[in-house]
Amino acid sequence: QVQLVESGGGLVQPGGSLRLSCTASGRSFRNSNIGWFRQAPGKEREFVAAIRWSYGTTHYADAVKGRFTISKDSAKNTVYLQMDNLKPDDTAVYYCAQDAGGILSSIRIARQYDYWGQGTQVTVSS
């Protein structure tokens, strides 16, 4: 059974940084798209960033471009989301997801992803 596990969330002041991690048990990330999505209270789940595992190419939502960086560690089968210059609007539950088909055209679409983690809370507040 595939299981994705996120870690690294927490409370941080505006302007601070956090690094989220996503690891998989039971399945490799090979040939997949790995995405980060977030959902704030009362809002729909939205795309944050994604990486195409086999190519290493990255994609970002406009709201986080220049502040967040997605990366991978192939040896650890882990994807990271480095979040810098955090803002209160970044407060949300962050989810890691895997699209096993690795389709480029739908990399920003949540319903395209097959497997999801349980989420980790990120709160940006002074």
Side-chain angles (χ1 to χ4, degrees):
Q1 183 177 355
V2 176
Q3 185 175 10
L4 302 182
V5 179
E6 304 101 333
S7 62
L11 173 64
V12 64
Q13 293 185 343
S17 297
L18 285 174
R19 189 178 78 159
L20 306 184
S21 300
C22 173
T23 60
S25 61
R27 187 176 181 89
S28 168
F29 284 157
R30 189 176 59 181
N31 298 324
S32 299
N33 296 336
I34 308 301
W36 286 97
F37 292 79
R38 66 186 182 187
Q39 188 166 18
K43 295 186 177 181
E44 294 188 355
R45 190 168 299 189
E46 65 175 358
F47 171 77
V48 176
I51 187 167
R52 303 193 76 199
W53 187 266
S54 296
Y55 304 97
T57 52
T58 58
H59 304 260
Y60 296 94
D62 288 343
V64 307
K65 198 172 295 183
R67 300 188 297 122
F68 290 11
T69 303
I70 189 170
S71 61
K72 67 171 186 173
D73 185 329
S74 299
K76 296 182 178 180
N77 206 42
T78 298
V79 172
Y80 302 100
L81 185 68
Q82 176 68 40
M83 305 186 295
D84 298 319
N85 191 21
L86 282 160
K87 304 175 181 181
D89 284 349
D90 295 318
T91 296
V93 177
Y94 284 70
Y95 298 90
C96 169
Q98 180 183 12
D99 169 17
I103 300 171
L104 175 60
S105 61
S106 55
I107 198 167
R108 297 170 183 260
I109 301 174
R111 66 175 182 271
Q112 184 61 38
Y113 287 76
D114 309 290
Y115 307 103
W116 291 81
Q118 81 288 349
T120 185
Q121 177 70 47
V122 171
T123 302
V124 185
S125 175
S126 56

